[in-house]
Amino acid sequence: MDHSVEEIKFQEELLNIVLNDSSKINNLLNEKVGPNNFTPDLRPIFYALFHSNTKGVALTERSFSDFIEESYNNGNYKKWIGLNHPIVQAKASQRSKFSRIFLVNADANDLPVLIKKIKDNRLKRNCIKCVESFNINQKSNFKESLRKLSHGIDLALSENEYKEIISWCPIDEIGSEWYDKLINKIDNPEEKLHCSISEIDDAMVIGFKEGTLTLFVADVGGFKSTMMLNIALNIFKKTGESVLFCALEMPRDMVLQKIVARETGISFNKLENPIMLTEIDRVRIKDELKKWEDLSQKFIILDNEERVSVSTIRSQIEKYKALFSPKVVVVDYIANLKSDDHYKNLNESSQYGQMCKDLRQLGRKEGFSVVSAVQLGRDAIKRLRNQKEGKQTVGSDDLRGSHDYSADADNIFVMVPHPSEPDSKIQLFCVKTRYGSKTFNGKNSVLLDVYPDISKIVSNQDAKIVWDNSSTDKKLQSLSEHMPTEEDLGALNGVSKINNNIGLSGDEIFGDISSSDKDSTDEWSDDIDYL
Amino acid sequence: MKDINNNLKIYKYYYTSNCEFSKNNQCIREGGCLCSSVSTMYAYMKSVLPNGYEDYSFHDFDGFINEKRVLDTDRTREVRERIWEFCYGDTWNSIGNKSLLKKTELDKLSVIDKRFSRGESLVIYGNSLAINKNESNYSKISTGKTLIASIIMNQVIRHRLYRSNNASSYDWVLYPMLVSLLIDYNSNDGNSIDYIQTWNDTDWLVVDDIMPPDTNMSAKQHALVKNRLDNFFTHRAEKMLPSILVFQFDIDKFDIAQEYGYAISQIISSKNTYIIKV
């Protein structure tokens, strides 16, 4: 159903008010007025107004023209308009629209009235569409059509106000629709969202699918935040999807510092003491920051001065929904959330359970996967480290604070620093995966490499000999033939330089290499009788 | 379990300093990081094996210790054959001049992975103690048992380089320390609990310096020690974790079940256990 002339007039007046006072865009967002409330050829102006508002400036004709060109080049323009104009025509058409709106003589005091009219018009349009669809389809399947009509009207109403939506899905009726989607996947395979840590991806099978909750469990200082940040950044950089990182554990600048450390390879220590940065380091940092500006997907850090609840996160996501749709939302971490009013009187473990449920449901509604973390009890950590071969278990009472975590999470991974290499290796166990396998190629756990000084976690990269005569095999065989001697290690750069570079004292480097008391140098003597 | 971090840092620095693939503290080599693999292997050898025993291989068992002959040639040959069989299976006769084989060529013959998957333990024993005719005390004589255990463990740790390897933890403990910590285990001593629980599940564990029965121990203490040893080694046997036990005396002359408990006696008599008498 097309927008009527009167509707278009209201929309233009509304846009005129916002053009003259860019702060009014927040009124629109708070009232859930988004681009879909406007006719397609006015949507670019809406998006441009929002974009300039985020930059803190008013929208001018020049900035609008630049915005249209950029949107055309990145494909957004075509998505908004629904037509494939050549760029010259697109720019001319939008310039004309902009001028027209600029000249509209709207009164800012009419803003609430205009918002209401636009929302009501959209509601009416959507409901009429549902009824038209019913009229067409009810002849072939009356019951199904009636069900869809009711559902469609509920959905239309919920866009005006928050309302729980439930669907009634008899399997005999939805089976054929599911089958069509299944067959469609053969020709159009679904792109799974992978985090590029193959051990995690393989265990999860379906990827970081919308509506799922994945938890990482570890002791204090067990790399929980580092793991979540690595997953978020891998998805952001390698899949081109947007990510929201709710930094409840660390301030924004610390998160940013970790990101820069990981992406540039410059240690956290150097970034914390910038006097140590070389000119090359500074160039590397600037180059990395520049790369982020050129990306179409966004990595947003939600920074908070006070504790936030799931509702706060929800409202922020809904507020910016039109312009930012994360595929993954990281909450660092659940125990840092504040309870919402409707369950704050429950006991602590039940509160966490409700948070998990709400986050999952939010993910289902808004189309993202949730990643978060939980602390593990010490006894459980020791037990996990010592149990072997499929006998490792985590019960609900092992996750500190909630019995509900195990039930509500789709995937639970436990991380334990490797006992012999705690600074460079993590043992990863999968204790729950709703759709995949809890083992890693038959093994109970896998090792991941961790670089704490640059906040990086990757799959274990140690080369192995596989007897295929490859260069890796040959090189490893060559290196393993002779163990470096003390002289070799000392001669590399002098002991003091090794000392400075790796932070160990001379005694720590070489230890006491006096002969052991084993196999003593007693003389072989004929005077000795054996027992 | 031994913390290899300090040694790992040293070896990693040694290898990465000369590596073209080491950039910004990371490895950019396609096909995996060579430096990390060999550094970790050598760090384990340096951390786990006794001082001075880190780099011994089959070739180093020749009947001499510190340039003094401790075994005659026939006995040396017999022991070498046993070491070979444990490490390289039934290939003693099919390989000619074994001294020409490099370490990696020996690795190709290795059956250590199979030994580990079957939980096959190793017992090394032989007289190390003698009464000096002129005095009435014991003197400890080297016969190479610790050397043999080191050679085996060196081979075991080398297997970290191979894709087929399934073992990841290694430790070396002296028997008196093991007993002392086992006695303290139930007294809620955090330290002993940590060590015992770790050793319980260490993939390859060497227990060295198992001395003849202590005749000064009270019956009550003796029963306690036997009980704890039984629990410890039964746990390992159930999980099919191989143990390398080094006895400093001739075990044929003692009732091991009576003196050390049923579990150790079972390890010795098991058909899954390999025996090397020195």
Side-chain angles (χ1 to χ4, degrees), chain A residues 11 16 23 32 78 144 151 198 255 306 350 352 362 369 382 394 422 466 473 513:
Chain A
Q11 291 170 20
N16 173 263
S23 68
K32 296 187 187 173
K78 185 184 163 186
E144 172 64 14
H151 177 71
S198 57
V255 176
E306 293 177 3
S350 299
Y352 293 141
L362 184 62
S369 177
K382 281 187 188 165
V394 163
V466 296
D473 266 23
I513 57 169

Side-chain angles (χ1 to χ4, degrees), chain A residues 138-150:
Chain A
Q138 54 96 9
K139 290 166 193 163
S140 55
N141 189 340
F142 177 78
K143 265 166 83 173
E144 172 64 14
S145 303
L146 189 62
R147 193 189 62 76
K148 280 184 178 170
L149 171 67
S150 171

Side-chain angles (χ1 to χ4, degrees), chain A residues 1-5 7-8 11 36-40 125:
Chain A
M1 183 187 168
D2 290 338
H3 299 236
S4 66
V5 171
E7 277 181 63
I8 294 173
Q11 291 170 20
N36 290 337
N37 289 89
F38 297 87
T39 180
R125 237 190 347 273

